[in-house]
Amino acid sequence: MNRVLVPLRLDGAAPPLGARSCAIGGETMGTTWQVRWVASEPLTDDVVRAAVQGELNLVVAQMSTWLAGSDLDRFNRAPAGTWHTLPEAFATVLGAAVWMADASGGAFNPAAGTLVDLWGFGPGPRYTDPGFELPEQPAVQAALAHTDWRRLRWDAGSGRAQQPGGVRLDFSAIAKGHAVDRVAQRLDALGVRSALVEVGGELRGQGFAPGGQPWWVDLESPPVRQAGPAVPTTRVALHGLSVATSGDYRRAFTHGGAHWPHTIDPRDGRPVSHGLASVSVLHGSCMWADAWSTALMVLGPEAGMALAVEHGIAALFVRRERSGRLAESITPAMDALSE
Ligand code: AMP
Ligand code: MG
């Protein structure tokens, strides 16, 4: 292990000695979830499970691209010009996603659903289906015409949004992070001060682990495709802190000798190919960590690093070099957390 990151302040009391250490998990959003917590309250696992499941179900019911009839699915299918009252969580995530799209010049784009589908990563034909073909350039051009997030009109005050016609929202790059935040807040409201929440690799830790240590988590590191050394491990104390990772290995396929990851650059309509293997972002909010990690993954090593530095984001970039080796770089905000 080569790097240890610790938040600048550790607040609150560690759980009392002898507090029960608990863990539950399950499946959601096409991936797995896990919650670990320290029970100093007389809460049964069933009560905690029901609370967690309630938050996860709410995010799916509102924001799933896969669930026919979710609020997002109904918005995506709605006729041009229709207005829709968005439920609160949907509106929160849309607001953050539009901010991220503006800030990243459209590298992050919540209206990229048509492109995501075209490349086989959405609810349409999958890249895993037998006979799946790479899209031709005219199809990419046609899809690009539906991805302008600036055509979305919405009113944060009333929570209403207009479907401009043919825009397919996709919150897969941000909703898991929001789900983590919701679960963590719900646990806190139940009196659970010490918990580690994970949905599909996005994590938030609050309070302390059993024994009074912070929740120590190793950042996900990309698999090495050719022989060569792995990158050093970065271990983080998740104390009131979240981490999200976007990677070119998470969902991807190989076709015609090229590697096609599920991160699409909505500016040219094609999966990214700048050689970035992964980006991990630490942030107080897991929703923002998730949005930023995707945005930086699209922007690539240079533009991504520049934007992260400009916004004071704590990020770790892992590049694939021609030799097949992995090389890391970190932003000053992440360096400031190094012990
Ligand atoms: P993440 O793992 O958080 O980086 O999210 C990746 C998922 O977000 C993909 O599977 C797509 O559904 C979606 N996606 C792909 N490219 C983009 C993009 N440029 N902006 C927003 N969402 C995207
Ligand atoms: Mg993301």
Side-chain angles (χ1 to χ4, degrees):
M1 188 192 4
N2 293 55
R3 191 180 292 118
V4 176
L5 304 174
V6 186
L8 304 176
R9 282 180 50 184
L10 294 179
D11 298 318
L17 281 177
R20 207 161 51 92
S21 162
C22 312
I24 53 174
E27 291 185 5
T28 187
M29 303 177 210
T31 183
T32 54
W33 63 267
Q34 231 196 88
V35 173
R36 291 164 58 192
W37 77 99
V38 182
S40 41
E41 304 293 318
L43 284 174
T44 66
D45 290 10
D46 287 347
V47 170
V48 175
R49 178 178 285 278
V52 170
Q53 200 67 61
E55 296 303 326
L56 297 173
N57 292 351
L58 177 147
V59 172
V60 169
Q62 293 189 15
M63 292 174 244
S64 174
T65 17
W66 311 87
L67 179 72
S70 71
D71 293 289
L72 183 135
D73 179 59
R74 284 190 286 131
F75 182 88
N76 284 351
R77 291 171 191 276
T82 50
W83 283 88
H84 303 264
T85 301
L86 308 180
E88 193 195 326
F90 187 142
T92 301
V93 172
L94 179 63
V98 167
W99 185 93
M100 196 70 252
D102 289 336
S104 64
F108 182 98
N109 184 348
T114 311
L115 279 171
V116 171
D117 277 358
L118 186 68
W119 286 95
F121 297 110
R126 295 281 292 169
Y127 66 98
T128 44
D129 292 345
F132 177 81
E133 292 285 346
L134 287 183
E136 307 274 354
Q137 193 54 24
V140 172
Q141 287 303 332
L144 276 171
H146 295 291
T147 57
D148 188 356
W149 78 96
R150 288 161 300 203
R151 287 175 60 227
L152 291 166
R153 293 189 24 222
W154 71 294
D155 174 26
S158 65
R160 276 158 45 90
Q162 190 195 46
Q163 166 60 269
V167 165
R168 292 185 63 79
L169 296 175
D170 179 343
F171 288 172
S172 303
I174 184 171
K176 279 194 301 223
H178 180 65
V180 168
D181 286 340
R182 294 192 78 86
V183 168
Q185 276 159 20
R186 183 70 179 273
L187 292 172
D188 196 54
L190 281 174
V192 178
R193 302 280 170 252
S194 288
L196 182 69
V197 179
E198 186 244 341
V199 178
E202 326 299 23
L203 290 127
R204 174 174 177 80
Q206 49 201 25
F208 296 87
Q213 283 280 316
W215 297 100
W216 288 108
V217 167
D218 287 348
L219 297 192
E220 204 177 288
S221 56
V224 187
R225 287 206 213 109
Q226 284 127 13
V231 284
T233 306
T234 298
R235 184 160 290 181
V236 192
L238 286 186
H239 181 80
L241 202 58
S242 303
V243 62
T245 301
S246 288
D248 73 347
Y249 53 90
R250 276 197 162 183
R251 282 180 213 269
F253 60 93
T254 307
H255 196 289
H259 182 73
W260 305 90
H262 72 152
T263 309
I264 317 278
D265 188 335
R267 298 165 303 175
D268 68 1
R270 308 182 70 78
V272 296
S273 58
H274 42 45
L276 206 50
S278 71
V279 180
S280 295
V281 170
L282 293 175
H283 199 287
S285 143
C286 200
M287 176 182 76
W288 284 109
D290 197 359
W292 271 105
S293 63
T294 305
L296 301 177
M297 185 68 201
V298 177
L299 285 167
E302 284 93 31
M305 176 59 86
L307 192 71
V309 171
E310 183 191 332
H311 286 268
I313 296 297
L316 166 78
F317 294 75
V318 183
R319 293 183 314 281
R320 292 186 195 281
E321 296 191 324
R322 279 223 187 86
S323 62
R325 292 171 54 126
L326 296 172
E328 292 189 337
S329 35
I330 63 172
T331 61
M334 182 160 282
D335 194 40
L337 300 172
S338 297
E339 267 197 330

